[in-house]
């Protein structure tokens, strides 16, 4: 049952109960603003998630613009959908989509709960508004497709939302169950074109909306409607990927019935991956499991589990090298690389901090400055205690053999952890696997690019 669940949790480190559920088969987690303090902290958090389950889905709402999680403390540096739609420059939308995707690659997330495909046809809409590319279906479709292609080309999966369209509501499904009382023909002409365009652009998942469309299904909100998810999304639009529920802690889904009942209804109707919202607990997941056993056909659970497993497999595929690595892609021609020095695909980068050169000062350096996830230790310290004994590492330091403690650690790593490499980003004076002859951010990006070219997957 856990294999179709995507809970949230409280805090900026991984709770023990989440780690236990991940090791037991939980599909993944969804991160929210409250889980993020800084890029380095969220990289460390996602590293903890991957230690518990290497192929865990890490989902996040990073729409660009007003809705941001990675930049929750300082605000997103990118324009949002409404402004991009007004500019109507598809190349710019693609650039922003790529930049947002690169941010997620740097952090380690692999499923973006974006873009918003809702056509904002009601100017009173309290929850969509500037999150939408506009009020014209064709314009929204063009820009949703451009944003989707930019993400999927990098390897970050998209979740196009909120099917079959939340743009005509005058209430917020976080707080109530909105009603969109229009016939199916209106939906086909106004609300469905952006979703169709996103599916054709390669979107791997589609997120549902908690809205009632009485002329399509008079009883069930879209998240609970087999008519909407099966007949329209699957058969009419031809979507074969994963259907993700919007957060089930929202009033539009669980108000009056509770999250376990909402989860069972969503799964039975055709949702495959259940986003539970913030503040999860083991007791909540157990209650959901009990409700699903009572109310969902085993064949439906098996189908959802298979679809989520296929999504996870697709997320393990190769990614396009991020832009920051491309900036230094030719620098690795100057590296000294020992023949046969190859990183283990899942090696963890460990950076050893030594006394800074006075002329250099405390400027950021190496793969961390390039945005790659790393663990930091001080010269003389052992490897982090929570790093499993058989985990290969890429040990990065400057002037390794000018620092006896670092040289000794390098010997331990090379002999005791198969698949590890030792990288000297200073002027090498002893045996190392790679020497970069410099440690600037650009050289750090080139190093990470070289590692990725050799099959390293640690960036994500």
């Amino acid at each position: 049952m856990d294999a179709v669940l995507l809970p949230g949790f409280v805090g900026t480190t991984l709770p023990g109960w989440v780690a236990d559920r991940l090791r037991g088969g939980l599909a993944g987690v969804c991160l929210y603003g409250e889980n993020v303090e800084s890029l380095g902290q969220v990289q460390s958090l996602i590293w903890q998630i991957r230690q518990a389950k290497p192929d865990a889905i890490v989902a996040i709402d990073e729409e660009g613009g007003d809705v941001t999680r990675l930049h929750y403390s300082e605000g997103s540096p990118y324009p949002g959908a409404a402004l991009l739609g007004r500019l109507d420059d598809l190349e710019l939308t693609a650039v922003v989509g790529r930049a947002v995707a690169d941010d997620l690659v740097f952090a380690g997330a692999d499923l973006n709960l974006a873009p918003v495909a809702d056509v904002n046809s009601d100017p009173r809409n309290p929850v969509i508004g500037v999150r939408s590319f506009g009020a014209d279906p064709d314009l929204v479709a063009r820009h949703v497709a451009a944003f989707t292609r930019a993400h999927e080309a990098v390897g970050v999966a998209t979740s196009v939302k909120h099917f079959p369209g939340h743009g005509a509501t005058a209430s917020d499904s976080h707080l109530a169950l909105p009603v969109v009382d229009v016939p199916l023909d209106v939906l086909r002409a106004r609300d469905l074109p952006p979703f169709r365009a996103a599916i054709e652009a390669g979107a791997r998942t589609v997120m549902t909306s908690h809205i009632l469309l009485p002329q399509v299904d008079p009883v069930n909100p879209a998240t609970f409607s087999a008519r909407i998810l099966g007949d329209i999304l699957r058969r009419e639009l031809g979507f074969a990927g994963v259907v993700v529920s919007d957060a089930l802690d929202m009033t539009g889904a669980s108000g009056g019935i509770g999250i376990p009942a909402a989860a069972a209804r969503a799964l039975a109707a055709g949702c495959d991956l259940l986003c539970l919202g913030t503040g999860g607990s083991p007791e909540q997941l157990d209650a959901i499991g009990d409700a699903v056993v009572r109310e969902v056909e085993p064949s439906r659970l098996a189908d959802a589990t298979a679809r989520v497993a296929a999504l996870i497999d697709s997320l393990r595929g190769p990614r396009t090298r991020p832009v920051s690595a491309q900036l230094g892609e030719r620098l690795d021609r100057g590296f000294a690389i020992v023949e046969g020095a190859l990183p283990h695909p899942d090696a963890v980068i460990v950076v050893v901090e030594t006394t800074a050169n006075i002329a250099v000062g405390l400027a950021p350096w190496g793969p961390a400055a390039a945005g790659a996830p790393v663990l930091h230790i001080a010269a003389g310290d052992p490897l982090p205690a929570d790093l499993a004994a058989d985990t290969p590492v890429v040990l990065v330091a400057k002037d390794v053999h000018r620092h006896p403690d670092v040289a000794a650690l390098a010997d331990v790593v090379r002999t005791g952890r198969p698949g590890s490499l030792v990288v000297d980003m200073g002027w090498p004076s002893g045996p190392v696997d790679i020497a970069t002859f410099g440690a600037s951010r650009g050289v750090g990006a080139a190093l990470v690019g070289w590692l990725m070219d050799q099959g390293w997957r640690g960036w994500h």
Side-chain angles (χ1 to χ4, degrees):
M1 175 59 218
D2 279 7
V4 298
L5 299 183
L6 201 66
F9 56 86
V10 175
T12 56
T13 58
L14 188 66
W17 72 266
V18 180
D20 290 342
R21 300 301 280 242
L22 286 166
R23 285 189 283 267
L26 184 67
V29 298
C30 186
L31 301 183
Y32 296 88
E34 66 195 60
N35 302 123
V36 179
E37 289 180 343
S38 66
L39 177 59
Q41 170 270 322
V42 79
Q43 287 174 332
S44 177
L45 171 58
I46 293 174
W47 178 80
Q48 295 169 40
I49 293 166
R50 302 271 185 233
Q51 285 290 100
K53 184 182 181 184
D55 62 355
I57 297 171
V58 179
I60 197 165
D61 292 277
E62 195 63 36
E63 296 174 10
D66 291 23
V67 175
T68 180
R69 303 294 183 248
L70 292 182
H71 305 284
Y72 195 65
S73 62
E74 75 275 13
S76 172
Y78 307 116
L83 180 55
L84 291 171
R86 283 181 57 83
L87 293 168
D88 197 13
D89 180 339
L90 293 179
E91 183 177 352
L92 177 59
T93 295
V95 167
V96 172
R98 171 61 190 263
V100 172
D102 280 349
D103 281 356
L104 296 179
V105 171
F106 294 159
D110 48 20
L111 173 60
N112 193 4
L113 304 179
V116 171
D118 304 315
V119 178
N120 200 55
S121 53
D122 189 335
R124 301 171 300 165
N125 198 314
V127 65
I128 303 301
V130 297
R131 299 166 66 193
S132 167
F133 286 103
D136 176 75
D138 291 337
L139 179 144
V140 174
R142 293 195 302 272
H143 288 271
V144 165
F147 192 98
T148 298
R149 280 193 295 267
H151 266 57
E152 296 287 351
V154 173
V156 177
T158 49
S159 193
V160 186
K161 59 189 183 184
H162 309 78
F163 190 81
H166 205 316
T169 62
S171 59
D172 183 349
S173 54
H174 290 87
L175 306 173
L177 176 61
V179 177
V180 179
D181 194 7
V182 298
L184 181 54
D185 286 348
V186 171
L187 288 179
R188 285 178 173 141
R190 181 189 66 193
D191 297 294
L192 296 186
F195 291 98
R196 188 185 298 276
I199 292 168
E200 292 174 354
R204 276 180 271 184
T205 83
V206 171
M207 176 176 278
T208 67
S209 61
H210 308 319
I211 62 173
L212 184 67
L213 299 107
Q215 296 190 50
V216 181
D217 186 332
V219 177
N220 301 297
T223 300
F224 305 154
S225 174
R227 166 85 174 102
I228 292 172
L229 301 183
D231 293 347
I232 299 176
L233 179 57
R234 291 289 190 203
R235 285 179 279 280
E236 183 173 332
L237 270 61
F239 180 63
V242 168
V243 178
V244 182
S245 76
D246 202 352
L248 294 176
D249 62 348
M250 296 165 63
T251 299
S254 56
I257 64 171
I259 292 175
R265 292 186 189 183
L267 188 60
C271 290
D272 304 304
L273 185 59
L274 305 181
C275 181
L276 304 181
T278 60
S281 68
E283 293 76 19
Q284 180 191 74
L285 270 60
D286 290 341
I288 290 171
D290 292 342
V292 168
V293 168
R294 291 193 306 268
E295 302 177 33
V296 180
E297 291 290 333
S299 60
R300 171 78 274 270
L301 177 58
D303 176 61
T305 301
R307 290 182 187 275
V308 173
L311 172 65
I312 289 173
D313 286 345
S314 77
L315 294 174
R316 303 282 73 78
R319 291 189 176 185
T320 301
R321 188 188 299 180
V323 169
S324 66
Q326 291 182 26
L327 296 176
E329 64 184 353
R330 297 181 182 274
L331 298 180
D332 60 22
R333 296 177 183 177
F335 294 175
I337 302 172
V338 172
E339 184 176 356
L342 297 173
H344 187 281
D346 299 313
V348 174
I349 297 179
V350 178
V351 173
V352 185
E353 299 286 355
T354 55
T355 303
N357 180 309
I358 294 174
V360 173
L362 300 178
W365 64 279
V374 307
L375 299 180
H376 288 272
I377 62 173
D381 287 349
L383 293 173
D386 56 355
L387 194 65
D390 59 350
T391 300
V393 303
V394 176
L395 190 72
V396 178
K398 298 178 185 178
D399 304 323
V400 171
H401 289 85
R402 290 183 57 246
H403 304 281
D405 289 339
V406 180
L409 180 60
D411 291 339
V412 169
V413 164
R414 190 182 287 108
T415 58
R417 293 176 178 261
S420 295
L421 296 178
V422 176
V423 180
D424 195 329
M425 299 198 75
W427 189 275
S429 57
V432 295
D433 299 300
I434 303 170
T436 65
F437 297 89
S440 71
R441 180 168 63 89
V443 175
L447 171 63
V448 173
W450 181 87
L451 292 171
M452 293 179 72
D453 286 344
Q454 309 311 311
W456 180 69
R457 300 193 299 258
W459 201 312
H460 56 88

